[in-house]
Every structure is written in C-alpha cells, then in structure tokens.
Amino acid sequence: MLRTLMIAEYLRPYAQWRINRPDPCDGGRNARAAIGLIDAAAYVSRLDDSERVIVRMAIAGCFALGRFNPGAEGENLIRFWHYDDASGTPADLLEALADCAERGLRHQAPQPRKGRTTVA
C-alpha cells in the first residue's frame, strides 16, 4: 500500500471519532477538527510517496510493519488538530507529523556510554 494512503487511512478514524463526539457546548470544535482531518486525509491521498515530507516520515520509521505509526507525539497532534485553532493547512499537519517523528527517532537513538573505555 502507498505510504500516502496509509496516512489517509490513519487520519479517517480520528475524523470519525470527532464526528461521533457531538457536544452542544463545544462551540463546534469537534466538527471543525473532523473537517480538518477529513481535509488532511484527502490532501495526503493525492500526494506522491516521493514527496519530501513523506520521505522524512519514512526515514523516521513511521511505516514500520506496513502501516502508518506517527508515534505518541504525532498521535496527540492528530487527536487535537484544528480542535482549538483552525489555522494550519493539511501540508502543515504533515510537516508537524514529520517533525514529531524525527524528534522521536532522535530520542530512540542509542546514546554513547560515558565513563567507560574498553581496551581490546
């Protein structure tokens, strides 16, 4: 499956989750968030897998095991996309997800051990 379609398939259930959370006191935030996620899913499904932002996510490991995984920070970003603030385009969401994935990759990289030297 194309990576762009994996991302779109990941976003759609979050949009549905927002649609299923009507709250007359939310000021339309759930509807706005759902529309933002639907828009982002449609946008990403029209991109090519060779787009720089998709490649960045691939290098960061977002497509392991044949599915899209944005990591914990990326998932949180998706859950609240356009909820409080409707600014930001679908391209902005993808760039932010790539940034999150790259931060996660840096935190997972093995750190050199300090204080120990081995002599062979």
Side-chain angles (χ1 to χ4, degrees), residues 115-120:
R116 288 189 159 184
T117 36
T118 55
V119 179

Side-chain angles (χ1 to χ4, degrees), residues 14-50:
Y14 284 96
Q16 186 64 52
W17 172 70
R18 284 290 179 196
I19 289 168
N20 292 337
R21 295 179 56 90
D23 180 354
C25 299
D26 78 353
R29 290 187 300 246
N30 280 309
R32 182 176 55 238
I35 291 167
L37 291 169
I38 290 167
D39 189 30
Y43 171 81
V44 72
S45 66
R46 292 187 305 262
L47 294 179
D48 189 87
D49 276 0
S50 64

Side-chain angles (χ1 to χ4, degrees), residues 64-108:
L65 304 175
R67 65 182 186 86
F68 179 64
N69 180 353
E73 184 182 357
E75 180 184 0
N76 193 52
L77 176 67
I78 291 166
R79 289 174 59 91
F80 291 99
W81 182 249
H82 281 194
Y83 185 75
D84 287 321
D85 180 8
S87 65
T89 66
D92 295 331
L93 174 59
L94 293 180
E95 288 293 332
L97 288 172
D99 292 343
C100 291
E102 289 168 344
R103 275 193 297 277
L105 184 64
R106 283 193 297 271
H107 286 97
Q108 292 175 0

